[in-house]
Amino acid sequence: MINWKNLLDLFLQSNCPLCQRSTSQELCPNCIRQLEKCHNPNTHSLPIFAWGTYSGILKRAIATMKYENHPEIARVLGQLLAQAWLSHHECDHTLVVVPIPLHAHKLKQRGYNQAALIAQSFCEVTGLQLKKHGLERIKLTQAQFDLSASEREDNLNEAFGLGKDLCLRPKTPVLLIDDIYTTGATARSAMQTLHESGIAVYGLLAVAITVKSVNNKHLSP
């Protein structure tokens, strides 16, 4: 007699994108356990709330998600971020969640915006409302990792515009979500756009924060 459950489980198996072990989930249980060890409670203060520091397997998971065509990793990262958020904050349902957008050219190249996927998973857990198109990226910027702090600020000057999801809606406080927080140049540019439209920013949530930024967290535009 055919065991259809075992056959279905076999069909659903795939390889973990981080270690290549067979798994039926986005990541194998071993890699999820290793990721959970990256959780850093010292990064849980507003206005910047990060799940962990940008190093080790967390850094590798983000790089694999973004550059090796594994958008499914965003679901795991969004869930981890949401669980940490709920354990430290009362869930204020007046907040709306807005992911940091990609420029249309980069979105076409990659095929997905990892921040939007993380935000979607985050909202599924927290119950907060997602405004996927709250912001739009109107300026095609250079990659930030090769730029100095001042060059990053110049690069992102007037990079964002208000998106269709917030143009005609009440001015409710926004939680910004991104995958990585480095110097804060991206967040400050996004905040400035929202502030100029009379929209308050409650804070920025990131899956990872760079080690240099942990003790220098600020968002003043």
Side-chain angles (χ1 to χ4, degrees):
M1 182 177 179
I2 297 174
N3 188 322
W4 291 107
K5 182 180 185 303
N6 289 344
L7 189 62
L8 181 62
D9 288 344
L10 180 64
F11 178 75
L12 293 175
Q13 293 288 316
S14 60
N15 290 335
C16 174
L18 299 184
C19 71
Q20 302 309 310
R21 289 185 178 92
S22 180
T23 181
S24 59
Q25 301 174 317
E26 293 90 354
L27 298 175
C28 73
N30 182 62
C31 283
I32 290 177
R33 283 194 296 269
Q34 289 188 57
L35 262 180
E36 288 172 343
K37 293 177 182 178
C38 297
H39 184 210
N40 183 357
N42 295 325
T43 61
H44 291 174
S45 59
L46 287 171
I48 303 155
F49 181 101
W51 183 79
T53 48
Y54 187 56
S55 61
I57 191 173
L58 180 56
K59 181 177 181 178
R60 183 154 58 90
I62 291 173
T64 301
M65 171 184 64
K66 293 170 69 171
Y67 306 121
E68 298 180 26
N69 194 31
H70 282 287
E72 70 275 14
I73 294 176
R75 181 171 179 80
V76 177
L77 299 180
Q79 290 171 345
L80 292 171
L81 183 61
Q83 290 161 6
W85 171 259
L86 290 175
S87 69
H88 286 77
H89 295 271
E90 290 186 11
C91 200
D92 183 351
H93 288 277
T94 65
L95 298 173
V96 296
V97 174
V98 176
I100 297 292
L102 289 179
H103 188 273
H105 177 71
K106 289 186 178 179
L107 183 60
K108 185 177 180 180
Q109 283 184 326
R110 184 168 296 164
Y112 53 90
N113 175 12
Q114 71 281 352
L117 296 178
I118 291 167
Q120 180 178 335
S121 179
F122 176 88
C123 288
E124 288 172 359
V125 175
T126 62
L128 294 180
Q129 193 172 10
L130 175 64
K131 300 296 183 185
K132 184 177 177 182
H133 302 289
L135 286 169
E136 60 178 7
R137 203 135 182 172
I138 58 178
K139 177 181 175 183
L140 183 58
T141 54
Q142 295 176 251
Q144 291 281 86
F145 55 82
D146 282 333
L147 304 179
S148 67
S150 60
E151 288 171 337
R152 286 172 184 247
E153 297 287 347
D154 291 340
N155 186 42
L156 285 157
N157 185 39
E158 298 182 345
F160 299 99
L162 201 64
K164 63 182 181 180
D165 284 354
L166 292 181
C167 282
L168 301 176
R169 295 184 179 272
K171 302 296 190 280
T172 53
V174 162
L175 265 180
L176 290 169
I177 285 191
D178 207 356
D179 54 342
I180 309 168
Y181 179 90
T182 50
T183 64
T186 301
R188 282 191 292 275
S189 181
M191 280 182 61
Q192 183 174 359
T193 297
L194 293 167
H195 284 163
E196 288 173 353
S197 300
I199 299 173
V201 177
Y202 189 75
L204 170 80
L205 275 62
V207 172
I209 185 170
T210 57
V211 175
K212 290 182 179 179
S213 301
V214 171
N215 295 319
N216 186 32
K217 298 192 295 181
H218 61 91
L219 272 181
S220 300

